[in-house]
């Protein structure tokens, strides 16, 4: 078959959004905008400033901050090798030796990651290649396929060289961000924000990426709105009144929670339920975890395989279990609140008191432990209605010490992340997603003179903030009015030769079909008044 014939038969491939990602379209995007606008407004009233961090970062940053054992890091991240320009992979070389030399020179010039692991990988590659080269020298005199032992050796080294070439890391490992707290902390350190007036209060909005099983309210690209409060620990903090410090932290926690609740309230999110807990600190939590492990071991055979495994790896996560058969057993387990150290107990009591002072209604949930490794003391989660089993719209907590873990100075932190997709779903389900308004004015024009006037009218109306549809071709007035109706326009402005020459424009209110004539300035005034009345 000739190439031309093949081309003719080939149907163009149909592209679809990648599994777990989706397009957000009008009119729904109007709701997304309203939600984000409200976040900007509410967070600003609490003194928060917006931060925009990159969408990808070093994989190590997330591994360190989120925790290597978490589902997020161990299996959900989108990670790729960021190869420097000009370092092609093996397939681009016909000569194996040239490739090995190129890699050696690249690591010397630090064009590819010059880490101990990578240096070792390059050394191994060199050794395998030298073995291979020696074997191929051996082969030269009596090259005979298959039968010759020498050929087997040669072939084995050829494979090994290729295998070890695959072990050399040609670029830095980067990941699409699965969350933003790690990035905000990285940024705090990088920009020396500890020398700004403390605490530093930041919020963000944007997409996050996790390779999870897509379902309602769970996507691979999803959106979060989050905030963080970071505060450098003063060198003299230990000498300060410890009780005062605990109360201050608790107050910050309560205000952050109050801010999220205010935001949800403003959006009229329905069925909002705030759960709080304290998961202790590095002093008291390990003791509780040991106690929990001991208790769980006593009932091990009554638990499912997941929980059995978690007795060893992370007993706290057993409390998270949704398995019906385990609920009775979990109910009898010791509560962390009874095992907090004195400081954590005081902190938790103070958070509750501060929430009450703010009129924030909460429920204590001793089983709330949350997935990320870095939390201490306060954890909280907010659920809303209409979401089925993915009903958490916000998760948050205190993470003192995370900045230090990332190489920064001693710093306290508290923050939250709202799942914007779920927030929107809940608003839609409860009818709080006010429908997108149609156009304000549809301009029905006929004739060239009228067109010129229509263009000017559209410009003036738009400048005054009205949404205007100006059709590009003239239409009979009947058809134009039908079109205006379809677009949900409130008014049709009718401009024909008569209107233009009289200087009196006809405005039709589509809801009731009433019609009136206005001069140009009167029309604008009338529309302004109507708009003010309806908003
Ligand atoms: P979940 O238990 O529902 O998986 P999580 O503990 O993994 O939540 P966080 O990492 O705390 O969630 O993120 C905060 C919020 O982000 C969640 O409460 C949720 O609303 C939202 N979220 C998390 N993962 C997804 C996802 N894959 N798709 C949509 N929203 C998500
Ligand atoms: Mg999750």
């Amino acid at each position: 078959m000739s190439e031309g014939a093949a081309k003719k038969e080939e149907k163009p491939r149909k592209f679809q959004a990648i599994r777990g990602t989706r397009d957000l379209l009008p009119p729904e995007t109007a709701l997304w905008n309203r939600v984000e606008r409200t976040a900007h407004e509410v967070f600003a009233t609490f003194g928060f400033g917006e931060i925009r961090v990159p969408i990808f970062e070093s994989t190590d940053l997330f591994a360190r901050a989120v925790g290597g054992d978490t589902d997020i890091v161990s299996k959900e991240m989108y990670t790729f090798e960021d190869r420097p320009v000009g370092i092609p992979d093996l397939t681009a070389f016909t000569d194996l030796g040239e490739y090995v030399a190129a890699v050696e020179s690249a690591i010397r010039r630090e064009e590819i990651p010059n880490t101990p692991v990578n240096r070792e990988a390059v050394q191994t590659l060199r050794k395998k290649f030298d073995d291979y080269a020696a074997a191929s020298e051996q082969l030269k005199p009596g090259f005979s396929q298959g039968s010759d032992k020498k050929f087997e050796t040669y072939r084995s080294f050829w494979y090994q060289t290729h295998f070890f070439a695959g072990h050399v890391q040609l670029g830095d490992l980067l990941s699409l961000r699965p969350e933003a707290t790690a990035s905000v902390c990285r940024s705090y350190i990088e920009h020396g924000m500890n020398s700004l007036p403390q605490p530093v209060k930041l919020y963000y909005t944007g997409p996050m990426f996790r390779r999870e099983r897509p379902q309602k309210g769970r996507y691979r690209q999803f959106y979060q709105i989050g905030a963080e409060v970071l505060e450098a620990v003063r060198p003299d903090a230990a000498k300060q009144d410890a009780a005062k410090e605990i109360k201050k932290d608790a107050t910050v926690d309560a205000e952050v929670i109050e801010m999220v609740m205010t935001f949800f309230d403003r959006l009229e999110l329905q069925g909002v339920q705030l759960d709080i807990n304290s998961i202790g600190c590095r002093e008291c939590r390990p003791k509780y975890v040991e106690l929990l492990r001991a208790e769980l071991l006593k009932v091990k055979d009554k638990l499912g395989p997941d929980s059995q495994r978690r007795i060893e790896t992370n007993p706290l996560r057993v409390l998270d279990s949704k398995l019906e058969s385990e609920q009775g057993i979990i109910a009898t387990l010791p509560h962390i609140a009874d095992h907090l150290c004195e400081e954590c107990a005081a902190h938790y009591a103070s958070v509750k008191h501060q929430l009450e002072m703010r009129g924030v209604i909460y429920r204590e949930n001793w089983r709330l432990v949350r997935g990320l490794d870095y939390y201490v003391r306060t954890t909280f989660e907010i659920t809303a209605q209409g979401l089925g089993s993915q009903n958490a719209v916000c998760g948050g907590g205190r993470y003192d010490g995370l900045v230090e873990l990332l190489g920064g100075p001693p710093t306290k932190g508290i923050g939250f992340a709202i799942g914007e997709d779920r927030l929107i779903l809940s608003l839609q389900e409860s009818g709080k997603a006010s429908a997108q308004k149609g156009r304000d004015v549809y301009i029905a024009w006929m004739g060239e003179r009228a067109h010129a006037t229509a263009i000017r009218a559209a410009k003036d109306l738009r400048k005054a903030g009205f949404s205007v549809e100006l059709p590009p071709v003239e239409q009979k007035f009947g058809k134009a009015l039908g079109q205006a109706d379809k677009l949900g326009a409130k008014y049709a402005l009718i401009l024909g030769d008569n209107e233009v020459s009289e200087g009196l424009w006809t405005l039709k209110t589509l809801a009731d079909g009433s019609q009136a004539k206005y001069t140009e300035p009167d029309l604008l005034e009338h529309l302004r008044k109507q708009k003010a009345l309806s908003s």
Side-chain angles (χ1 to χ4, degrees), residues 277-278 288 291-292 319 330-340 365-367:
N277 192 21
S278 172
Y288 171 72
L291 176 70
L292 195 61
L319 304 180
I330 293 171
T332 67
L333 294 169
H335 292 199
I336 191 164
D338 302 328
H339 299 273
L340 295 175
N365 178 355
W366 69 276
R367 289 176 53 178

Side-chain angles (χ1 to χ4, degrees), residues 35-202:
V35 164
E36 285 158 23
R37 207 163 44 237
T38 308
H40 292 302
E41 283 165 16
V42 172
F43 296 174
T45 64
F46 281 79
F48 281 67
E50 188 186 2
I51 180 170
R52 299 191 187 195
V53 288
I55 278 181
F56 54 89
E57 301 255 9
S58 165
T59 303
D60 276 348
L61 173 69
F62 300 118
R64 183 103 44 106
V66 181
D69 294 338
T70 57
D71 284 354
I72 294 180
V73 169
S74 64
K75 52 187 182 202
E76 295 175 359
M77 284 208 294
Y78 286 93
T79 297
F80 58 98
E81 201 177 72
D82 188 30
R83 286 187 191 170
V85 181
I87 305 291
D89 71 13
L90 182 52
T91 53
F93 284 81
T94 45
D95 186 315
L96 210 47
E98 267 175 32
Y99 176 71
V100 175
V103 167
E104 281 175 331
S105 131
I107 198 166
R108 258 198 316 276
R109 282 179 278 131
E110 306 212 333
E111 286 166 3
I112 66 175
N114 189 357
T115 59
V117 176
N118 219 24
R119 279 198 297 274
E120 204 183 309
V122 174
Q123 271 165 24
T124 311
L125 175 65
R126 163 55 67 192
K127 193 174 170 318
K128 291 295 163 190
F129 174 74
D130 287 348
D131 288 346
Y132 157 78
S136 60
E137 273 306 309
Q138 288 283 314
L139 209 57
K140 267 179 188 161
F143 185 81
S144 64
Q145 284 210 19
S147 59
D148 197 344
K149 195 114 203 279
K150 282 180 188 162
F151 180 73
E152 283 304 317
T153 314
Y154 159 86
R155 200 166 63 170
S156 159
F157 282 130
W158 185 90
Y159 279 122
Q160 286 186 39
T161 308
H162 281 78
F163 177 77
F164 284 98
H167 282 208
V168 176
Q169 203 185 304
L170 294 180
D172 295 322
L173 288 186
L174 305 181
S175 296
L176 298 186
R177 62 184 188 194
E179 55 107 64
T181 303
S183 307
V184 174
C185 291
R186 194 255 321 125
S187 177
Y188 179 88
I189 300 167
E190 190 171 331
H191 298 281
M193 291 189 216
N194 60 327
S195 57
L196 298 174
Q198 303 292 299
V200 173
K201 305 199 277 188
L202 300 167

